[in-house]
Amino acid sequence: MNGNKVQVKNEQYINYELIETLRLTKFPKPGEIILYGTAGFRTRAELLDHVAFTMGILSVLRSKKKNAAIGIMITASHNPENDNGLKLVDPSGEMLESSWEKIATDLVNIDDRELVPQLKKIIKELDINETLPATVILGRDTRISSPQLAMSAIQGINACQATLKDFEIVTTPQLHYLVASTNANGSYGDPSLFGYYQKLSVAFKNIRGNRTDNGNYFGKLQLDAANGVGALAVKQFQEHLNGFIDIDVYNNGNGQLNHKCGADYVKIEQCPPSNLPVISNMRCVSIDGDADRIVYYYTDEENKFHLLDGDRIATLIAEYFKELLLESQLILNVGLVQTAYANGGSTDYITNKLKIPVACVPTGVKHLHHKALEFDIGIYFEANGHGTIVFKDSATELIRQAAKNESLSENKREAAKKLSQVIDVINQTVGDALSDMLLVETILHAKKWNLNDWEQSYRDLPNKQLKVKVLDRNAITTMDAERKCVLPEGLQTTIDQLVMRYSKGRSFVRPSGTEDIVRVYAECENKADVEKLAVQVGVAVFNLANGVGQKPVLSKM
């Protein structure tokens, strides 16, 4: 994770004959249809060679169209180890433009002999200049299938004579950073892994000063790295942090990826991961396989587990930013973006106590990120711990100027200086578990809080998630950011009636994007009621989606 391999092509042209030969002989399409979803293509690894090859080609077309470097990340995040996936990253480090998701899906699933004609059609319709140079930035996680898929992508890139920058093993957020910094010509940071570690760690140390402990905050934590690529990144970070925080790393790559460990496991199972020693009140962190999700937790003296998830992280950040803005007296519009999965306790706290506007969008990081861009400072986190903060350029400039303005009082200038430094701790391109961890540690240190202090800010409502097996997930359609069910007819009315039976009851359903299941979310004032509500809504989903007379199949998320 210390360097990159660069292959520069002086002649930029697409070798259609080679592409056709490779697709027919080496990368034929298997029988299954594979869709580009919210996280790109994701399925069993053995089905993805032709996807990687084809996306290598499409990344070059995208680069020529945008006249900028495009990224390819090979990962399946929190999925089991035998899965893998691949997604493209746009010039500013953001997710691939939606219209190109359909292009990617069509191109991957087209008949092998139609690939070249379809490529030529795309080039013509989108007015892509084939003579322009193209650059592709490639990264992969630590899955055993990732090197092979990387080679497949490289063959597609090489068939188009594009420049390749292969960073090999990186976290997903690092790949997003590398794409953004490459295209920003130095304004976002040095386009290297060293630049990534240096930017975040220097800002973190500048804010913290020399004090490791502060009040109830102690500079030591346990980190569960899900046996993924994040374990390697944490090791590199430790070299840059110089003892400013003491991190004990568990599930560091010696075990099975994401198996009984990682942020997703901890969030769903509501318990500590395997192989992490339970120490009362120790601050613990779990990240996922590609290091873009993070959750905090601790176990108290009575062996009770306490989870501080993405909702908690979002409210902590929002409160801290509001405090700094009040101290600096800078007038900036701060907003927090959530999905329907956000706990009602957090929404109530943000809206009524912090007085910060909350927007709700459909599930998926691209929806949250897009909405967050509407605010001067947009904060977004999914409950699963995936999120970040984005700043408008005008907001960044205002903060930087105030930090240097000698005419301001010392208190105002210091608050603006902290905001300016915080900006550099954040990876604005995408949710970054390690960047988010440094930000949370910064805030807890500043507030002199331990995790119990943080948890006391508001009470989470008990909640439950279930999966319901259905014959056809398309029988369920939703609206209002997935909070209301449109079809099947009568289901939303039934949910509304069930919810009314319970204090602070809330429930919604949404179909999976990849399999024939429907996800049920429920929350209530007390735990016994939420168990009942979740099952009742699950049975209603099953009966109205499948027809009465069959036995419902319900399982935990």
Side-chain angles (χ1 to χ4, degrees):
M1 298 180 67
N2 295 317
N4 66 301
K5 297 179 179 178
V6 182
Q7 298 176 10
V8 180
K9 301 292 184 178
N10 296 319
E11 295 182 72
Q12 303 279 341
Y13 67 92
I14 298 173
N15 189 334
Y16 293 111
E17 184 178 350
L18 178 58
I19 288 171
E20 183 171 51
T21 299
L22 288 172
R23 179 67 178 255
L24 289 172
T25 61
K26 194 169 183 179
F27 302 108
K29 180 188 73 170
E32 296 189 24
I33 299 294
I34 304 175
L35 304 177
Y36 195 108
T38 54
F41 294 104
R42 193 172 292 182
T43 187
R44 300 192 312 278
E46 65 267 21
L47 299 176
L48 286 168
D49 273 316
H50 84 291
V51 173
F53 170 71
T54 309
M55 288 303 97
I57 298 166
L58 188 63
S59 66
V60 175
L61 298 192
R62 183 69 176 160
S63 178
K64 290 175 182 288
K65 176 64 179 176
K66 301 298 289 185
N67 196 22
I70 296 295
I72 298 178
M73 183 66 201
I74 297 169
T75 184
S77 185
H78 57 279
N79 280 38
E81 194 164 15
N82 59 347
D83 286 352
N84 215 323
L86 183 145
K87 66 176 180 177
L88 301 191
V89 177
D90 261 354
S92 295
E94 72 273 37
M95 299 293 194
L96 180 65
E97 183 182 313
S98 296
S99 62
W100 278 66
E101 292 179 7
K102 184 180 185 307
I103 293 172
T105 295
D106 291 344
L107 208 57
V108 160
N109 293 292
I110 204 167
D111 289 342
D112 296 330
R113 292 192 178 277
E114 292 299 314
L115 176 61
V116 167
Q118 183 68 12
L119 289 172
K120 292 179 177 179
K121 181 181 178 183
I122 292 168
I123 289 168
K124 182 177 180 181
E125 289 182 350
L126 298 181
D127 193 26
I128 296 172
N129 185 347
E130 288 189 60
T131 65
L132 287 176
T135 299
V136 179
I137 298 174
L138 180 64
R140 55 181 166 87
D141 69 12
T142 53
R143 292 168 192 267
I144 195 168
S145 58
S146 291
Q148 173 61 40
L149 293 176
M151 288 305 302
S152 299
I154 289 170
Q155 290 194 58
I157 295 164
N158 287 344
C160 299
Q161 299 297 307
T163 293
L164 168 67
K165 296 183 179 180
D166 184 5
F167 283 86
E168 300 183 335
I169 297 176
V170 293
T171 70
T172 293
Q174 286 174 338
L175 192 279
H176 283 257
Y177 167 88
L178 291 166
V179 173
S181 56
T182 295
N183 290 316
N185 296 318
S187 63
Y188 188 66
D190 182 72
S192 67
L193 287 175
F194 178 83
Y196 166 86
Y197 292 118
Q198 189 75 356
K199 177 183 178 180
L200 273 60
S201 61
V202 167
F204 174 75
K205 290 186 289 186
N206 284 341
I207 298 172
R208 287 282 291 264
N210 293 322
R211 290 182 300 175
T212 300
D213 301 334
N214 195 21
N216 289 337
Y217 175 89
F218 296 95
K220 181 179 178 63
L221 61 83
Q222 294 178 330
L223 186 142
D224 155 35
N227 289 312
V229 63
L232 303 177
V234 171
K235 183 178 180 180
Q236 292 291 321
F237 257 125
Q238 287 174 312
E239 295 179 7
H240 287 262
L241 293 174
N242 299 331
F244 271 67
I245 184 168
D246 185 6
I247 306 172
D248 291 335
V249 184
Y250 299 89
N251 296 313
N252 60 4
N254 294 323
Q256 187 177 343
L257 178 68
N258 294 322
H259 180 64
K260 293 187 177 182
C261 60
D264 206 51
Y265 173 84
V266 172
K267 168 66 176 171
I268 292 171
E269 298 297 329
Q270 302 278 305
C271 69
S274 298
N275 305 317
L276 187 140
V278 176
I279 303 172
S280 294
N281 298 311
M282 171 62 72
R283 193 165 68 259
C284 300
V285 168
S286 281
I287 62 178
D288 64 336
D290 68 339
D292 64 2
R293 295 184 183 187
I294 180 171
V295 294
Y296 273 75
Y297 50 94
Y298 71 99
T299 304
D300 65 22
E301 298 90 342
E302 298 177 357
N303 207 34
K304 182 181 177 182
F305 177 78
H306 299 255
L307 177 69
L308 297 101
D309 61 9
D311 294 336
R312 290 277 182 183
I313 294 171
T315 56
L316 179 74
I317 294 168
E319 184 171 2
Y320 181 65
F321 278 19
K322 184 168 183 179
E323 290 170 356
L324 290 181
L325 287 171
L326 285 173
E327 289 176 28
S328 65
Q329 293 192 5
L330 293 171
I331 307 301
L332 291 170
N333 178 21
V334 181
L336 197 145
V337 187
Q338 296 183 323
T339 70
Y341 284 105
N343 193 279
S346 73
T347 308
D348 180 69
Y349 178 74
I350 297 158
T351 305
N352 298 318
K353 178 70 183 295
L354 300 183
K355 306 296 183 184
I356 290 175
V358 176
C360 187
V361 298
T363 305
V365 174
K366 64 180 180 181
H367 300 299
L368 290 133
H369 193 92
H370 181 75
K371 188 68 178 179
L373 292 171
E374 296 180 11
F375 299 97
D376 292 331
I377 303 175
I379 303 164
Y380 72 85
F381 273 84
E382 293 183 291
N384 62 26
H386 194 173
T388 191
I389 304 92
V390 292
F391 296 78
K392 284 186 176 177
D393 290 342
S394 56
T396 299
E397 182 61 25
L398 184 67
I399 291 168
R400 304 277 201 214
Q401 287 179 356
K404 297 182 290 187
N405 189 346
E406 296 291 338
S407 67
L408 294 178
S409 69
E410 185 177 350
N411 286 343
K412 290 179 183 178
R413 195 167 65 253
E414 279 301 310
K417 190 180 296 183
K418 286 180 182 178
L419 274 172
S420 180
Q421 292 166 339
V422 161
I423 291 173
D424 289 332
V425 174
I426 297 165
N427 185 351
Q428 296 186 50
T429 62
V430 72
D432 183 336
L434 300 179
S435 164
D436 292 337
M437 181 187 74
L438 293 181
L439 178 57
V440 170
E441 294 297 315
T442 294
I443 298 170
L444 293 177
H445 179 271
K447 286 180 168 290
K448 305 180 181 181
W449 278 3
N450 58 26
L451 294 194
N452 181 260
D453 297 326
W454 177 10
E455 189 179 26
Q456 296 309 309
S457 56
Y458 69 88
R459 174 179 173 266
D460 269 330
L461 292 174
N463 58 89
K464 180 80 172 180
Q465 295 186 49
L466 294 176
K467 293 190 294 187
V468 183
K469 183 71 176 174
V470 295
L471 297 175
D472 181 7
R473 67 181 182 275
N474 296 313
I476 306 287
T477 58
T478 63
M479 61 178 290
D480 189 20
E482 301 174 324
R483 290 176 291 187
K484 296 292 182 184
C485 186
V486 178
L487 292 174
E489 192 172 333
L491 179 55
Q492 186 59 51
T493 300
T494 302
I495 293 172
D496 291 341
Q497 292 169 348
L498 290 169
V499 163
M500 288 176 64
R501 299 178 186 176
Y502 303 101
S503 175
K504 295 188 179 180
R506 182 172 74 94
S507 183
F508 67 92
V509 302
R510 59 180 288 268
S512 167
T514 57
E515 52 187 326
D516 286 324
I517 62 171
V518 176
R519 306 182 193 278
V520 174
Y521 178 90
E523 64 181 33
C524 295
E525 177 74 19
N526 63 71
K527 191 172 182 179
D529 283 349
V530 83
E531 297 283 344
K532 295 175 186 176
L533 178 57
V535 171
Q536 289 168 344
V537 172
V539 171
V541 169
F542 186 89
N543 288 340
L544 286 167
N546 291 340
V548 179
Q550 301 185 58
K551 185 178 180 180
V553 179
L554 310 180
S555 59
K556 287 200 304 182
M557 289 287 288

